[in-house]
Amino acid sequence: MSEVVYTYDGSFDGFLSCVFARYANKEVPIAISRDEDFPPTLFPCRFIPTDPAHARRVLRKVLTLSPYGARLLQRGFLTCLPDRELALLNLVTTLLEEGPGFLRDRSHPAVYPVFRAVRHLEGEAHVLKGFVRFSDLGGVLGGEIEPKNRVLPLLRSHFCARYPQDAFFLYDRTHHEALLHAAGQAVIRPLADFQMAPPDEAEARYRTLWKRFYDTIAIRERDNPRCRMTHMPKRYWSTMTEFQGPDFFTPQSSPAGVPAPGAPAGKPVPGIPPAPGRSVPGSSL
Amino acid sequence: MDVLEKLTILTDAAKYDAACTSSGGDRASRKGYIGNTSSSVAGCCHSFSADGRCVSLLKVLLTNRCVYDCKYCVNRRSNDTPRAAFTPEELADLTIQFYRRNYIEGLFLSSGVFRSPDYTTELMIRCLRLLREEYRFNGYIHAKAIPGTAPELVEQLGFLADRLSVNIELPSETALRTLAPDKTKGAILAPMRQIQTRGHQCREELAKYRHAPRFAPAGQSTQLIVGATPESDLHILRLTQGLYDRYQLKRVFYSAYVPVVEHALLPAKTVKPPLLREHRLYQADWLLRFYGFRAEELLDEAHPDFDPRVDPKCSWALAHPEFFPVEVNTADYEALLRVPGIGVLSARRILSARRTRRLRTENLRRLGVVMKRAQYFLTVDGKLPEGLRFSQDSLLRYLVAAERPQLPPMEQLSLFDPVG
Ligand code: SF4
């Protein structure tokens, strides 16, 4: 069997198309990579075009064999596991060849790396449910996160249930995508760049109140920075109100700083992107 | 006085209350409302304060003006401290604005006794009404039921809150009499019983009519202060067990006493809060709630206090060599749970993985077993993990060393030094 590298467009359907191609071509890729990430190599490269029909067939097959396997696959794709595509391909091929029994054993070599990565993803999504900070930008709630994994699909239903009446957006700085919610509809869209608008009077005031609460609630006699760090690693602090510098609490006095109601402030305004972006595994996660 | 200043005073006055979880609610998201308390956010921490404690709720007092004079409390009337009071409107606004920004999961409302228990509770009810009815707040609310409040008011409070709590604070009647002369055991237990009975009735009604109003759906909890008075761990743990058994409490919280005042009957202000003891009590509490242990198994009259060196589960295992080793490939769930280093989750995973194949030592770690502790207490297919040699003495040493990195820095750490 010749050695070949697959490249694809980075979407979940694209990846499933790679799985399909692996069986159609009866070959085992030594790497699967998003085309933009992949440095030129000595190995022959094959670009696998995304084919929704192929993707559907693969996913349906996995689903009939094991809903849990399908969930590992979908969530695994959102993780920051190095070479996640290969690990997931390995999971699918093992499932096709051995049946779903092995999935019950988390210590199985085909399961463990994916299981661990998914747990990392889920853990990150879980803590972010708490650590996300929103600002009221003229009636629209806006927040930013810097996660390692693509957590937005896991956060979607949570924040939609929390703010069923509100328009809000949540920007993922790492993966350059945003969760947008308005009038009961939520979408996740790529967004190259985003800058949060400065706070108005009221927003600055509530930020200050929160910081004061946070600083006061700690019991000095019980000071325990290490414990705080274990539960809330520093990498989350960058987007949390209580750890920002004085500017963050100073209102923008010029009227230009007050965003128009109804539109997320900042630039560029997240809107409908020109081209369909990378797809994210189903919202039913 | 502006709200920022009030918030500072009333947060500072509330911070010694340990209960700050939002667990157990299940208000689904509702159209036209803001917030939910679904199980997915159970115990959701929105931040961690510098002392490493989870910040989940806006924990404040409605007022720190108090007509009572509990000796251990910063808010007692004889203490010279700045006083403040939120209006129900101010507090409702603060809660909703914090909630919208995802700072908090809800409100934890406690209060000093302003004029009378009834008057204070009426103010609290006004604030919660505003939140629930005006702001249509559907998030979590934990409210304090003040001993001595009229049952009708406790009833109203319970229909607005997710959880109620009555703090016992001092774990014995003698301690109450000397240090909290305005409170009696009877006055504390009466609302507890009322909350339990009412919650029970309510669950029965709910089973019949889906829309029956819900009374404190997340149940009730209480707090015990540890180290202000001389009760033993056994005394405290028995009390806890009784509260779980007889009052169906959801949680008992323990709060290491931080000496805030000089008083002849209390530890001096230089005494550090007994954090390690508090930690051991939480570990033991966990064993009561999830591991099927009883207080008498963990402590007895001959050993009325926990060994500071090892956690209560290891302590029990060391005292019961006849129970071990446990064979991972055949033991039942209850036996697995008794092994130090195996938790509820890893025990379940072992059962599930065992259905597909026989387990080997190298699988266990991946199933979440903490081998550093568990290895001394289990066999895999009749064999101890390879190369493992230990005596009863060295075992204690290994176990102490295994837990040490996980312990928060505490004043008692010096206790460990001779063990090394
Ligand atoms: S009733 Fe006692 S414990 Fe409660 S605030 Fe007043 S003095 Fe403090």
Side-chain angles (χ1 to χ4, degrees):
Chain A
M1 219 180 286
S2 66
E3 290 180 318
V4 59
V5 168
Y6 282 0
T7 61
Y8 73 113
D9 65 2
S11 72
F12 187 55
D13 277 359
F15 164 69
L16 294 175
S17 304
C18 294
V19 178
F20 189 91
R22 177 239 177 269
Y23 280 97
N25 305 341
K26 296 193 177 53
E27 62 192 357
V28 181
I30 55 158
I32 303 178
S33 195
R34 285 198 309 173
D35 44 357
E36 57 211 80
D37 296 346
F38 196 68
T41 70
L42 299 173
F43 298 111
C45 257
R46 195 195 316 282
F47 178 75
I48 308 294
T50 298
D51 181 329
H54 289 173
R56 239 188 338 266
R57 275 173 65 185
V58 173
L59 191 60
R60 199 169 303 144
K61 180 78 189 162
V62 174
L63 255 171
T64 47
L65 283 170
S66 161
Y68 172 67
R71 188 182 138 105
L72 271 187
L73 184 64
Q74 287 175 316
R75 292 217 160 170
F77 189 74
L78 299 173
T79 65
C80 59
L81 178 70
D83 289 322
R84 67 199 152 109
E85 289 90 349
L86 273 193
L88 293 172
L89 176 65
N90 186 23
L91 186 80
V92 177
T93 44
T94 316
L95 182 62
L96 295 180
E97 279 154 27
E98 290 182 19
F102 77 104
L103 286 169
R104 258 193 279 173
D105 178 9
R106 279 152 187 68
S107 61
H108 190 285
V111 179
Y112 188 62
V114 179
F115 170 74
R116 224 176 47 168
V118 168
R119 212 168 46 181
H120 180 224
L121 161 83
E122 290 172 344
E124 190 172 40
H126 178 77
V127 298
L128 278 171
K129 282 178 188 171
F131 298 163
V132 166
R133 296 287 175 262
F134 285 103
S135 299
D136 187 323
L137 306 160
V140 174
L141 298 176
E144 288 180 276
I145 50 174
E146 257 183 304
K148 285 189 178 160
N149 301 284
R150 287 171 70 191
V151 292
L152 287 182
L154 279 75
L155 294 180
R156 165 162 37 192
S157 64
H158 169 72
F159 283 112
C160 291
R162 187 177 171 101
Y163 307 118
Q165 301 301 110
D166 283 288
F168 70 83
F169 68 93
L170 184 56
Y171 179 61
D172 176 342
R173 285 184 195 165
T174 319
H175 306 92
H176 304 285
E177 40 185 26
L179 165 64
L180 312 163
H181 175 269
Q185 299 288 314
V187 285
I188 293 170
R189 288 286 154 79
L191 180 62
D193 187 28
F194 171 77
Q195 200 77 52
M196 184 81 81
D200 63 14
E201 285 293 336
E203 176 57 30
R205 192 165 142 260
Y206 288 113
R207 287 179 181 179
T208 309
L209 283 161
W210 171 247
K211 174 141 176 60
R212 179 65 66 85
F213 173 77
Y214 177 79
D215 292 338
T216 313
I217 198 74
I219 299 178
R220 215 175 332 110
E221 291 86 343
R222 302 180 61 125
D223 214 25
N224 192 343
R226 209 183 63 191
C227 178
R228 170 166 73 176
M229 206 79 94
T230 331
H231 290 299
M232 189 171 63
K234 268 235 162 91
R235 68 184 180 88
Y236 293 110
W237 295 17
S238 61
T239 50
M240 294 175 73
T241 309
E242 46 273 43
F243 302 110
Q244 305 302 311
D247 278 359
F248 194 76
F249 302 91
T250 318
Q252 177 87 331
S253 41
S254 82
V258 183
K267 58 171 186 161
V269 172
I272 310 304
R278 271 189 267 130
S279 71
V280 171
S283 56
S284 57
L285 287 173
Chain B
M1 191 186 288
D2 75 348
V3 174
L4 184 64
E5 206 174 326
K6 289 186 183 181
L7 179 68
T8 316
I9 293 173
L10 295 169
T11 303
D12 199 47
K15 69 185 178 190
Y16 298 101
D17 210 306
C20 191
T21 58
S22 53
S23 50
D26 62 342
R27 284 168 200 275
S29 176
R30 280 167 79 183
K31 225 180 147 46
Y33 285 75
I34 174 168
N36 65 331
T37 67
S38 69
S39 55
S40 71
V41 288
C44 183
C45 293
H46 284 260
S47 194
F48 286 86
S49 47
D51 53 22
R53 297 194 303 168
C54 166
V55 180
S56 167
L57 306 173
L58 171 60
K59 180 163 61 176
V60 287
L61 300 187
L62 187 66
T63 174
N64 65 341
R65 298 197 179 114
C66 190
V67 295
Y68 284 2
D69 205 33
C70 309
K71 303 285 178 283
Y72 53 83
C73 176
V74 268
N75 305 317
R76 71 193 192 287
R77 85 170 166 255
S78 59
N79 195 26
D80 181 20
T81 183
R83 307 279 171 173
F86 281 123
T87 65
E89 291 73 23
E90 284 166 343
L91 189 53
D93 175 70
L94 209 52
T95 307
I96 208 78
Q97 294 297 343
F98 278 12
Y99 191 86
R100 290 191 76 216
R101 290 167 175 77
N102 206 44
Y103 298 162
I104 53 169
E105 214 37 51
L107 174 65
F108 181 140
L109 183 54
S110 183
S111 183
V113 183
F114 183 39
R115 291 194 202 162
S116 72
D118 283 357
Y119 185 80
T120 315
T121 307
E122 275 168 9
L123 285 177
M124 290 167 72
I125 289 171
R126 241 174 63 203
C127 175
L128 301 195
R129 276 251 149 78
L130 265 176
L131 272 171
R132 292 290 194 218
E133 286 162 17
E134 295 279 312
Y135 290 105
R136 307 194 136 223
F137 178 60
N138 197 35
Y140 192 85
I141 295 176
H142 178 155
K144 275 288 162 56
I146 298 171
T149 305
E152 308 85 74
L153 293 176
V154 174
E155 165 109 4
Q156 288 181 37
L157 201 60
F159 281 113
L160 292 163
D162 292 273
R163 173 172 283 179
L164 291 180
S165 62
V166 189
N167 277 7
I168 295 182
E169 306 288 23
L170 298 175
S172 77
E173 231 180 322
T174 340
L176 267 179
R177 242 192 331 266
T178 44
L179 294 175
D182 307 295
K183 295 181 187 164
T184 63
K185 187 173 155 202
I188 293 171
L189 293 181
M192 263 191 178
R193 186 59 85 197
Q194 184 194 348
I195 295 164
Q196 181 200 6
T197 319
R198 202 64 188 86
H200 187 76
Q201 281 172 359
C202 205
R203 273 187 298 280
E204 280 181 350
E205 279 161 28
L206 257 176
K208 278 184 248 158
Y209 328 99
R210 210 160 57 86
H211 294 294
R214 309 201 318 158
F215 184 88
Q220 62 171 325
S221 64
T222 192
Q223 165 169 295
L224 300 171
I225 298 179
V226 179
T229 45
E231 292 80 12
S232 67
D233 290 346
L234 174 61
H235 179 99
I236 292 174
L237 208 61
R238 276 214 186 113
L239 177 59
T240 298
Q241 187 166 286
L243 291 168
Y244 286 139
D245 290 352
R246 286 201 294 278
Y247 291 84
Q248 269 100 47
L249 289 202
K250 282 290 188 311
R251 285 292 304 271
V252 173
F253 293 92
Y254 309 90
S255 178
Y257 177 64
V258 179
V260 280
V261 286
E262 282 300 353
H263 190 276
L265 295 171
L266 287 166
K269 261 185 136 170
T270 46
V271 173
K272 297 240 167 65
L275 297 179
L276 182 58
R277 188 173 171 210
E278 177 196 281
H279 185 66
R280 294 282 178 244
L281 280 166
Y282 273 115
Q283 289 175 318
D285 184 270
W286 199 260
L287 294 178
L288 297 187
R289 287 186 297 138
F290 301 111
Y291 286 72
F293 279 88
R294 303 285 301 168
E296 303 74 44
E297 286 185 276
L298 297 168
L299 296 168
D300 53 40
E301 304 298 342
H303 307 91
D305 291 299
F306 286 112
D307 187 336
R309 295 168 303 173
V310 281
D311 67 82
K313 196 176 173 192
C314 280
S315 223
W316 181 86
L318 287 167
H320 294 84
E322 74 288 352
F323 191 86
F324 299 101
V326 165
E327 167 57 48
V328 275
N329 273 309
T330 55
D332 60 19
Y333 179 68
E334 287 71 26
L336 287 172
L337 277 187
R338 297 250 154 174
V339 178
I342 295 184
V344 170
L345 212 63
S346 46
R348 285 207 206 114
R349 286 195 195 130
I350 288 175
L351 294 188
S352 154
R354 230 160 56 178
R355 265 182 268 148
T356 57
R357 60 158 148 172
R358 288 198 79 76
L359 293 176
R360 300 179 357 176
T361 314
E362 53 283 17
N363 303 138
L364 295 179
R365 190 162 290 136
R366 293 185 165 189
L367 296 174
V369 177
V370 184
M371 286 305 277
K372 255 204 229 162
R373 247 171 293 167
Q375 57 184 349
Y376 307 103
F377 301 99
L378 46 81
T379 55
V380 184
D381 282 336
K383 288 195 284 290
L384 282 173
E386 218 164 300
L388 192 66
R389 250 173 220 98
F390 61 93
S391 66
Q392 228 20 34
D393 276 358
S394 58
L395 180 52
L396 174 63
R397 237 181 6 251
Y398 296 147
L399 290 175
V400 171
E403 193 198 19
R404 203 169 174 173
Q406 283 144 35
L407 280 181
M410 296 169 182
E411 83 289 4
Q412 291 96 333
L413 270 183
S414 54
L415 271 178
F416 294 119
D417 289 341
V419 188

